[in-house]
Amino acid sequence: MQNNSFARSGYKSSRRVYSSSQRGRKQRPNRQGGYINPEKFINKATARSEVVEYEPTHRFVDFALSDALKRNIVAKGYEVPTPIQDQSIPAVLEGRDLIGLANTGTGKTAAFLLPIINNLMAKNGQGGVLIVAPTRELAVQIDDEFKAFAKGLNLYSALCVGGANMQRQIRALARKPQFVIGTPGRLKDLVGQGALRLNNTNHLVLDEADRMLDMGFIKDIQFLIDQLPKVRQSLCFSATITPTIERLIQNILNDPVTVSVRTTETSEHVEQDVIRAYSKDEKLKMLIGMLKKPEFEKVLVFGETKWGVQRLADTLTKQGLKAAAIHGNKSQSQRQRALDAFKKNDVRILVATDVAARGLDIPNVSHVINFDQPGTYEDYIHRIGRTGRAGNSGQALTFVGGSR
Ligand code: AMP
């Protein structure tokens, strides 16, 4: 294979790939019409040890949470609150509205679930909670965490996500659960069908609000909010504050407390590099070559389209590499199975689209490989945030086009 230094000696060092002679070259935009300078895909990781450890001001026992709930927290294995939990739980317990500036992986789910569960218990389960999340997978994760915390507390949930059986969700809602957790489109449909009534829902959580707006859910969210009573407690979590989020917050929150746990970009701790491939075939060969190496232990591969992602997972499987795919053409249960297989290490490779991977908690990914480049730099940061988490070092590799 001509010009393929990867085949001989591993992928090329970025600093050589982007020699100064190539910097001025005209670059093609990616499919979404944007162009990201490939130099932005290159970074020497900074050591984790430079990060100052956060000292929480509370332990879980210090919070004004019920004993039964505290027992469930212990059973879940949480000992020390994360920064977002440390700062949000007291305010939410007081009934305040809250803006939580936090990304996935910060423990934001428990930061809203624990105090809201407690608030509902204090009212003997009267009232209700609506939790809206951008993706089915994130909603499933929230529901799983809810079930662990609400064990034995007489509080129940209905999971209302697209791509799953609607009749079953209608039956679950008919049992009048206190918690309704779902994605905007399906929740709106269920309201439209008369299966979901929100006039008694006095707690609202918008999780990953910025993602939901990016995905075009603003109208559905507004529709849902219009169904809620005016007097309620509302929490809004977002990794970024854009002008649209700002407007949303002003409309729906009342005198909110703001808690920000955004640290420096997680990407600083991720070793990032580019791989130059001259054709699609070469790109695939290089990917397969890498994935066969033992150091590529647990790899998240990003592709651009649903079909491309499925085709790539099939090709890798044919090559004897254990791979699963998650994308929007798969049913909820298929996606969940793929994610579980990856989490349990039954498969080592997960091929995903941006949308399907959003908000997922996938621990210990050794490598993120951008087989197709992301549409925006923000998507890039989101993708590579899946590696180098929680003190682990990670590596992100991005294929860029080459010209001979
Ligand atoms: P989240 O940001 O809510 O998706 O949480 C990220 C991960 O951290 C999940 O796997 C949680 O189960 C875990 N987690 C959240 N809070 C704690 C805690 N206080 N102690 C240990 N693990 C936690």
Side-chain angles (χ1 to χ4, degrees):
M1 202 188 303
Q2 211 191 352
N3 248 335
N4 182 357
S5 67
F6 174 75
R8 292 193 302 272
S9 61
Y11 59 87
K12 266 189 178 180
S13 149
S14 54
R15 276 147 196 92
R16 273 180 285 132
V17 172
Y18 280 90
S19 62
S20 55
S21 64
Q22 283 163 333
R23 288 209 173 103
R25 237 176 232 157
K26 197 169 182 299
Q27 298 284 345
R28 266 173 292 138
N30 57 34
R31 272 199 214 165
Q32 283 95 330
Y35 163 70
I36 307 168
N37 184 341
E39 288 189 29
K40 292 184 90 172
F41 301 139
I42 300 167
N43 173 61
K44 271 250 158 277
T46 54
R48 284 268 175 194
S49 55
E50 289 168 20
V51 179
V52 180
E53 283 270 316
Y54 175 82
E55 280 286 336
T57 53
H58 306 88
R59 292 165 303 155
F60 279 115
V61 283
D62 301 331
F63 292 128
L65 298 168
S66 83
D67 289 343
L69 188 49
K70 282 180 183 164
R71 277 195 294 276
N72 288 345
I73 298 170
V74 172
K76 179 102 175 90
Y78 293 3
E79 287 168 10
V80 183
T82 66
I84 185 92
Q85 292 161 5
D86 193 39
Q87 296 170 56
S88 304
I89 291 175
V92 180
L93 281 173
E94 278 175 22
R96 295 289 302 268
D97 281 4
L98 180 119
I99 303 168
L101 294 172
N103 336 58
T104 315
T106 52
K108 62 183 163 62
T109 315
F112 62 76
L113 280 179
L114 291 172
I116 286 194
I117 289 174
N118 204 83
N119 289 352
L120 226 66
M121 287 169 75
K123 293 179 205 151
N124 290 322
Q126 293 302 305
V129 183
L130 177 69
I131 301 174
V132 194
T135 63
R136 309 157 192 195
E137 286 78 6
L138 184 57
V140 170
Q141 276 172 209
I142 297 168
D143 191 44
D144 286 347
E145 199 148 335
F146 167 78
K147 287 201 176 87
F149 289 140
K151 209 167 178 187
L153 304 182
N154 266 326
L155 294 175
Y156 301 95
S157 65
L159 180 65
C160 300
V161 295
N165 185 305
M166 195 149 172
Q167 289 312 314
R168 210 190 291 164
Q169 293 171 4
I170 291 173
R171 283 197 298 276
L173 289 170
R175 291 193 286 270
K176 305 255 172 279
Q178 297 89 344
F179 282 71
V180 175
I181 302 166
T183 46
R186 177 57 62 95
L187 289 166
K188 182 177 176 230
D189 289 349
L190 287 162
V191 170
Q193 297 217 3
L196 173 59
R197 283 189 194 84
L198 295 170
N199 52 345
N200 197 22
T201 301
N202 49 4
H203 298 84
L204 167 72
V205 179
L206 297 180
D207 198 8
E208 305 209 346
D210 48 351
R211 294 275 140 199
M212 291 202 278
L213 299 194
D214 279 357
M215 291 163 83
F217 284 137
I218 183 74
K219 284 213 172 107
D220 294 350
I221 292 171
Q222 199 57 59
F223 172 87
L224 292 167
I225 291 169
D226 290 345
Q227 316 293 314
L228 299 169
K230 293 266 172 302
V231 179
R232 57 166 195 260
Q233 183 175 28
S234 309
L235 317 180
C236 179
F237 288 83
S238 183
T240 51
I241 292 285
T242 59
T244 331
I245 298 273
E246 191 89 56
R247 269 200 302 282
L248 183 75
I249 286 169
Q250 278 183 0
N251 280 339
I252 65 165
L253 302 189
N254 179 18
D255 186 24
V257 178
T258 302
V259 172
S260 173
V261 299
R262 278 183 308 180
T263 48
T264 49
E265 285 183 342
T266 47
S267 57
E268 285 176 21
H269 311 295
V270 178
E271 187 83 25
Q272 299 160 57
D273 215 338
V274 293
I275 310 169
R276 178 157 291 235
Y278 294 91
S279 67
K280 275 205 152 174
D281 274 357
E282 189 178 20
K283 189 160 94 162
L284 187 61
K285 273 184 196 147
M286 289 168 105
L287 178 72
I288 291 166
M290 275 191 276
L291 292 175
K292 287 190 170 163
K293 295 185 169 203
E295 64 265 30
F296 285 75
E297 276 169 49
K298 198 172 176 86
V299 188
L300 191 53
V301 181
F302 280 99
E304 197 170 14
T305 64
K306 303 167 190 175
W307 296 275
V309 159
Q310 188 59 54
R311 210 168 37 235
L312 184 56
D314 293 343
T315 308
L316 295 176
T317 306
K318 277 193 204 118
Q319 290 286 325
L321 291 158
K322 282 193 163 180
I326 49 168
H327 52 73
N329 278 356
K330 286 202 158 184
S331 71
Q332 170 57 25
S333 59
Q334 285 172 322
R335 288 189 198 191
Q336 198 61 47
R337 261 203 307 279
L339 182 62
D340 288 345
F342 188 61
K343 279 191 171 177
K344 284 189 273 170
N345 291 325
D346 291 343
V347 298
R348 213 161 56 75
I349 303 158
L350 186 66
V351 192
T353 55
D354 286 298
V355 171
R358 238 157 232 175
L360 295 184
D361 175 38
I362 305 167
N364 298 324
V365 174
S366 65
H367 292 76
V368 167
I369 299 180
N370 296 308
F371 188 71
D372 295 322
Q373 282 184 30
T376 64
Y377 187 63
E378 207 198 334
D379 280 338
Y380 174 73
I381 293 295
H382 222 75
R383 286 180 179 189
I384 72 166
R386 307 322 169 99
T387 184
R389 278 185 177 190
N392 300 312
S393 62
Q395 202 176 16
L397 298 167
T398 303
F399 279 99
V400 297
S403 46
R404 293 186 204 270

PDB file of all heavy atoms in Angstrom, residues 60 76-82 85 103-110 141 145 361, ligand 1:
ATOM      1  N   PHE A  60     -23.537  12.679  51.961  1.00  0.00           N
ATOM      2  CA  PHE A  60     -24.955  12.395  51.716  1.00  0.00           C
ATOM      3  C   PHE A  60     -25.752  12.417  53.019  1.00  0.00           C
ATOM      4  O   PHE A  60     -26.897  12.857  53.044  1.00  0.00           O
ATOM      5  CB  PHE A  60     -25.133  11.068  50.971  1.00  0.00           C
ATOM      6  CG  PHE A  60     -24.901  11.199  49.490  1.00  0.00           C
ATOM      7  CD1 PHE A  60     -23.848  10.545  48.873  1.00  0.00           C
ATOM      8  CD2 PHE A  60     -25.737  11.988  48.707  1.00  0.00           C
ATOM      9  CE1 PHE A  60     -23.631  10.685  47.512  1.00  0.00           C
ATOM     10  CE2 PHE A  60     -25.520  12.138  47.344  1.00  0.00           C
ATOM     11  CZ  PHE A  60     -24.474  11.482  46.744  1.00  0.00           C
ATOM     12  N   LYS A  76     -26.853   2.076  46.246  1.00  0.00           N
ATOM     13  CA  LYS A  76     -26.390   2.383  44.881  1.00  0.00           C
ATOM     14  C   LYS A  76     -24.866   2.535  44.849  1.00  0.00           C
ATOM     15  O   LYS A  76     -24.240   2.540  43.792  1.00  0.00           O
ATOM     16  CB  LYS A  76     -27.087   3.666  44.404  1.00  0.00           C
ATOM     17  CG  LYS A  76     -26.737   4.158  43.045  1.00  0.00           C
ATOM     18  CD  LYS A  76     -27.818   3.820  42.029  1.00  0.00           C
ATOM     19  CE  LYS A  76     -27.548   4.416  40.655  1.00  0.00           C
ATOM     20  NZ  LYS A  76     -26.801   3.598  39.758  1.00  0.00           N
ATOM     21  N   GLY A  77     -24.284   2.684  46.031  1.00  0.00           N
ATOM     22  CA  GLY A  77     -22.820   2.741  46.099  1.00  0.00           C
ATOM     23  C   GLY A  77     -22.261   4.155  46.058  1.00  0.00           C
ATOM     24  O   GLY A  77     -21.057   4.345  45.922  1.00  0.00           O
ATOM     25  N   TYR A  78     -23.120   5.168  46.183  1.00  0.00           N
ATOM     26  CA  TYR A  78     -22.620   6.548  46.199  1.00  0.00           C
ATOM     27  C   TYR A  78     -22.214   6.910  47.621  1.00  0.00           C
ATOM     28  O   TYR A  78     -23.026   6.805  48.540  1.00  0.00           O
ATOM     29  CB  TYR A  78     -23.702   7.534  45.737  1.00  0.00           C
ATOM     30  CG  TYR A  78     -24.114   7.432  44.291  1.00  0.00           C
ATOM     31  CD1 TYR A  78     -23.599   6.458  43.451  1.00  0.00           C
ATOM     32  CD2 TYR A  78     -25.033   8.332  43.762  1.00  0.00           C
ATOM     33  CE1 TYR A  78     -24.003   6.368  42.123  1.00  0.00           C
ATOM     34  CE2 TYR A  78     -25.436   8.255  42.438  1.00  0.00           C
ATOM     35  CZ  TYR A  78     -24.921   7.268  41.633  1.00  0.00           C
ATOM     36  OH  TYR A  78     -25.325   7.191  40.336  1.00  0.00           O
ATOM     37  N   GLU A  79     -21.004   7.371  47.784  1.00  0.00           N
ATOM     38  CA  GLU A  79     -20.539   7.741  49.127  1.00  0.00           C
ATOM     39  C   GLU A  79     -20.402   9.244  49.289  1.00  0.00           C
ATOM     40  O   GLU A  79     -20.841   9.831  50.259  1.00  0.00           O
ATOM     41  CB  GLU A  79     -19.192   7.064  49.411  1.00  0.00           C
ATOM     42  CG  GLU A  79     -19.369   5.578  49.666  1.00  0.00           C
ATOM     43  CD  GLU A  79     -18.068   4.820  49.674  1.00  0.00           C
ATOM     44  OE1 GLU A  79     -16.996   5.458  49.662  1.00  0.00           O
ATOM     45  OE2 GLU A  79     -18.133   3.576  49.680  1.00  0.00           O
ATOM     46  N   VAL A  80     -19.772   9.853  48.290  1.00  0.00           N
ATOM     47  CA  VAL A  80     -19.502  11.293  48.374  1.00  0.00           C
ATOM     48  C   VAL A  80     -20.253  11.990  47.236  1.00  0.00           C
ATOM     49  O   VAL A  80     -20.220  11.521  46.102  1.00  0.00           O
ATOM     50  CB  VAL A  80     -17.981  11.540  48.196  1.00  0.00           C
ATOM     51  CG1 VAL A  80     -17.664  13.007  48.353  1.00  0.00           C
ATOM     52  CG2 VAL A  80     -17.194  10.703  49.174  1.00  0.00           C
ATOM     53  N   PRO A  81     -20.923  13.099  47.534  1.00  0.00           N
ATOM     54  CA  PRO A  81     -21.615  13.810  46.451  1.00  0.00           C
ATOM     55  C   PRO A  81     -20.633  14.391  45.438  1.00  0.00           C
ATOM     56  O   PRO A  81     -19.547  14.846  45.824  1.00  0.00           O
ATOM     57  CB  PRO A  81     -22.361  14.944  47.157  1.00  0.00           C
ATOM     58  CG  PRO A  81     -22.195  14.741  48.611  1.00  0.00           C
ATOM     59  CD  PRO A  81     -21.098  13.755  48.839  1.00  0.00           C
ATOM     60  N   THR A  82     -21.015  14.366  44.188  1.00  0.00           N
ATOM     61  CA  THR A  82     -20.205  15.038  43.163  1.00  0.00           C
ATOM     62  C   THR A  82     -20.461  16.547  43.306  1.00  0.00           C
ATOM     63  O   THR A  82     -21.433  16.949  43.965  1.00  0.00           O
ATOM     64  CB  THR A  82     -20.599  14.577  41.752  1.00  0.00           C
ATOM     65  OG1 THR A  82     -21.936  15.018  41.499  1.00  0.00           O
ATOM     66  CG2 THR A  82     -20.522  13.060  41.608  1.00  0.00           C
ATOM     67  N   GLN A  85     -23.980  17.654  42.650  1.00  0.00           N
ATOM     68  CA  GLN A  85     -24.893  17.164  43.694  1.00  0.00           C
ATOM     69  C   GLN A  85     -24.706  17.986  44.974  1.00  0.00           C
ATOM     70  O   GLN A  85     -25.670  18.416  45.598  1.00  0.00           O
ATOM     71  CB  GLN A  85     -24.611  15.683  43.979  1.00  0.00           C
ATOM     72  CG  GLN A  85     -24.981  14.785  42.813  1.00  0.00           C
ATOM     73  CD  GLN A  85     -24.328  13.416  42.858  1.00  0.00           C
ATOM     74  OE1 GLN A  85     -23.643  13.071  43.820  1.00  0.00           O
ATOM     75  NE2 GLN A  85     -24.527  12.625  41.815  1.00  0.00           N
ATOM     76  N   ASN A 103     -22.136  18.928  32.304  1.00  0.00           N
ATOM     77  CA  ASN A 103     -22.167  17.956  31.211  1.00  0.00           C
ATOM     78  C   ASN A 103     -22.513  16.576  31.745  1.00  0.00           C
ATOM     79  O   ASN A 103     -22.594  16.376  32.947  1.00  0.00           O
ATOM     80  CB  ASN A 103     -20.806  17.819  30.514  1.00  0.00           C
ATOM     81  CG  ASN A 103     -19.945  19.021  30.659  1.00  0.00           C
ATOM     82  OD1 ASN A 103     -19.623  19.450  31.761  1.00  0.00           O
ATOM     83  ND2 ASN A 103     -19.554  19.568  29.546  1.00  0.00           N
ATOM     84  N   THR A 104     -22.657  15.653  30.808  1.00  0.00           N
ATOM     85  CA  THR A 104     -22.861  14.254  31.183  1.00  0.00           C
ATOM     86  C   THR A 104     -21.632  13.781  31.945  1.00  0.00           C
ATOM     87  O   THR A 104     -20.525  14.223  31.663  1.00  0.00           O
ATOM     88  CB  THR A 104     -22.979  13.376  29.921  1.00  0.00           C
ATOM     89  OG1 THR A 104     -23.824  14.041  29.027  1.00  0.00           O
ATOM     90  CG2 THR A 104     -23.522  12.013  30.234  1.00  0.00           C
ATOM     91  N   GLY A 105     -21.853  12.896  32.894  1.00  0.00           N
ATOM     92  CA  GLY A 105     -20.709  12.343  33.615  1.00  0.00           C
ATOM     93  C   GLY A 105     -20.403  13.080  34.897  1.00  0.00           C
ATOM     94  O   GLY A 105     -19.492  12.720  35.625  1.00  0.00           O
ATOM     95  N   THR A 106     -21.176  14.137  35.178  1.00  0.00           N
ATOM     96  CA  THR A 106     -20.914  14.922  36.385  1.00  0.00           C
ATOM     97  C   THR A 106     -21.770  14.472  37.567  1.00  0.00           C
ATOM     98  O   THR A 106     -21.620  14.983  38.666  1.00  0.00           O
ATOM     99  CB  THR A 106     -21.217  16.415  36.128  1.00  0.00           C
ATOM    100  OG1 THR A 106     -22.548  16.500  35.584  1.00  0.00           O
ATOM    101  CG2 THR A 106     -20.229  17.036  35.175  1.00  0.00           C
ATOM    102  N   GLY A 107     -22.685  13.560  37.307  1.00  0.00           N
ATOM    103  CA  GLY A 107     -23.597  13.122  38.369  1.00  0.00           C
ATOM    104  C   GLY A 107     -24.852  13.979  38.436  1.00  0.00           C
ATOM    105  O   GLY A 107     -25.526  14.024  39.453  1.00  0.00           O
ATOM    106  N   LYS A 108     -25.187  14.641  37.320  1.00  0.00           N
ATOM    107  CA  LYS A 108     -26.330  15.554  37.352  1.00  0.00           C
ATOM    108  C   LYS A 108     -27.658  14.819  37.535  1.00  0.00           C
ATOM    109  O   LYS A 108     -28.611  15.383  38.075  1.00  0.00           O
ATOM    110  CB  LYS A 108     -26.360  16.441  36.108  1.00  0.00           C
ATOM    111  CG  LYS A 108     -26.520  15.710  34.798  1.00  0.00           C
ATOM    112  CD  LYS A 108     -26.448  16.700  33.642  1.00  0.00           C
ATOM    113  CE  LYS A 108     -26.199  16.010  32.319  1.00  0.00           C
ATOM    114  NZ  LYS A 108     -27.215  15.079  31.885  1.00  0.00           N
ATOM    115  N   THR A 109     -27.723  13.552  37.134  1.00  0.00           N
ATOM    116  CA  THR A 109     -28.992  12.821  37.259  1.00  0.00           C
ATOM    117  C   THR A 109     -29.402  12.722  38.729  1.00  0.00           C
ATOM    118  O   THR A 109     -30.536  13.054  39.082  1.00  0.00           O
ATOM    119  CB  THR A 109     -28.850  11.408  36.646  1.00  0.00           C
ATOM    120  OG1 THR A 109     -28.180  11.527  35.404  1.00  0.00           O
ATOM    121  CG2 THR A 109     -30.196  10.756  36.451  1.00  0.00           C
ATOM    122  N   ALA A 110     -28.470  12.291  39.573  1.00  0.00           N
ATOM    123  CA  ALA A 110     -28.795  12.195  41.002  1.00  0.00           C
ATOM    124  C   ALA A 110     -28.993  13.588  41.598  1.00  0.00           C
ATOM    125  O   ALA A 110     -29.755  13.755  42.555  1.00  0.00           O
ATOM    126  CB  ALA A 110     -27.692  11.457  41.745  1.00  0.00           C
ATOM    127  N   GLN A 141     -31.506   5.804  31.022  1.00  0.00           N
ATOM    128  CA  GLN A 141     -30.548   5.899  32.132  1.00  0.00           C
ATOM    129  C   GLN A 141     -31.156   6.621  33.335  1.00  0.00           C
ATOM    130  O   GLN A 141     -30.950   6.225  34.472  1.00  0.00           O
ATOM    131  CB  GLN A 141     -29.289   6.654  31.677  1.00  0.00           C
ATOM    132  CG  GLN A 141     -28.305   5.756  30.976  1.00  0.00           C
ATOM    133  CD  GLN A 141     -27.138   6.505  30.337  1.00  0.00           C
ATOM    134  OE1 GLN A 141     -26.579   6.054  29.355  1.00  0.00           O
ATOM    135  NE2 GLN A 141     -26.764   7.638  30.886  1.00  0.00           N
ATOM    136  N   GLU A 145     -31.853   4.977  37.055  1.00  0.00           N
ATOM    137  CA  GLU A 145     -31.355   5.582  38.290  1.00  0.00           C
ATOM    138  C   GLU A 145     -32.522   5.900  39.228  1.00  0.00           C
ATOM    139  O   GLU A 145     -32.437   5.691  40.437  1.00  0.00           O
ATOM    140  CB  GLU A 145     -30.542   6.845  37.952  1.00  0.00           C
ATOM    141  CG  GLU A 145     -29.631   7.257  39.085  1.00  0.00           C
ATOM    142  CD  GLU A 145     -28.331   7.923  38.620  1.00  0.00           C
ATOM    143  OE1 GLU A 145     -27.892   7.677  37.482  1.00  0.00           O
ATOM    144  OE2 GLU A 145     -27.772   8.689  39.419  1.00  0.00           O
ATOM    145  N   ASP A 361     -23.906   7.431  29.102  1.00  0.00           N
ATOM    146  CA  ASP A 361     -22.811   7.259  30.055  1.00  0.00           C
ATOM    147  C   ASP A 361     -22.088   5.966  29.707  1.00  0.00           C
ATOM    148  O   ASP A 361     -22.529   4.880  30.034  1.00  0.00           O
ATOM    149  CB  ASP A 361     -23.373   7.196  31.475  1.00  0.00           C
ATOM    150  CG  ASP A 361     -22.279   6.905  32.478  1.00  0.00           C
ATOM    151  OD1 ASP A 361     -21.170   7.444  32.289  1.00  0.00           O
ATOM    152  OD2 ASP A 361     -22.523   6.140  33.413  1.00  0.00           O
TER     153      ASP A 361
HETATM  154  P1  AMP B   1     -24.555  11.333  35.289  1.00  0.00           P
HETATM  155  O1  AMP B   1     -23.777  12.563  34.998  1.00  0.00           O
HETATM  156  O2  AMP B   1     -25.743  11.597  36.162  1.00  0.00           O
HETATM  157  O3  AMP B   1     -24.914  10.579  34.044  1.00  0.00           O
HETATM  158  O4  AMP B   1     -23.602  10.355  36.163  1.00  0.00           O
HETATM  159  C1  AMP B   1     -22.404   9.853  35.650  1.00  0.00           C
HETATM  160  C2  AMP B   1     -21.973   8.570  36.345  1.00  0.00           C
HETATM  161  O5  AMP B   1     -21.537   8.832  37.678  1.00  0.00           O
HETATM  162  C3  AMP B   1     -23.077   7.536  36.491  1.00  0.00           C
HETATM  163  O6  AMP B   1     -22.521   6.271  36.199  1.00  0.00           O
HETATM  164  C4  AMP B   1     -23.503   7.622  37.929  1.00  0.00           C
HETATM  165  O7  AMP B   1     -24.019   6.387  38.398  1.00  0.00           O
HETATM  166  C5  AMP B   1     -22.201   7.977  38.619  1.00  0.00           C
HETATM  167  N1  AMP B   1     -22.403   8.782  39.848  1.00  0.00           N
HETATM  168  C6  AMP B   1     -23.211   9.842  39.998  1.00  0.00           C
HETATM  169  N2  AMP B   1     -23.118  10.356  41.238  1.00  0.00           N
HETATM  170  C7  AMP B   1     -22.214   9.612  41.902  1.00  0.00           C
HETATM  171  C8  AMP B   1     -21.664   9.647  43.242  1.00  0.00           C
HETATM  172  N3  AMP B   1     -22.036  10.581  44.127  1.00  0.00           N
HETATM  173  N4  AMP B   1     -20.752   8.718  43.571  1.00  0.00           N
HETATM  174  C9  AMP B   1     -20.363   7.782  42.671  1.00  0.00           C
HETATM  175  N5  AMP B   1     -20.831   7.691  41.402  1.00  0.00           N
HETATM  176  C10 AMP B   1     -21.737   8.597  41.015  1.00  0.00           C
END
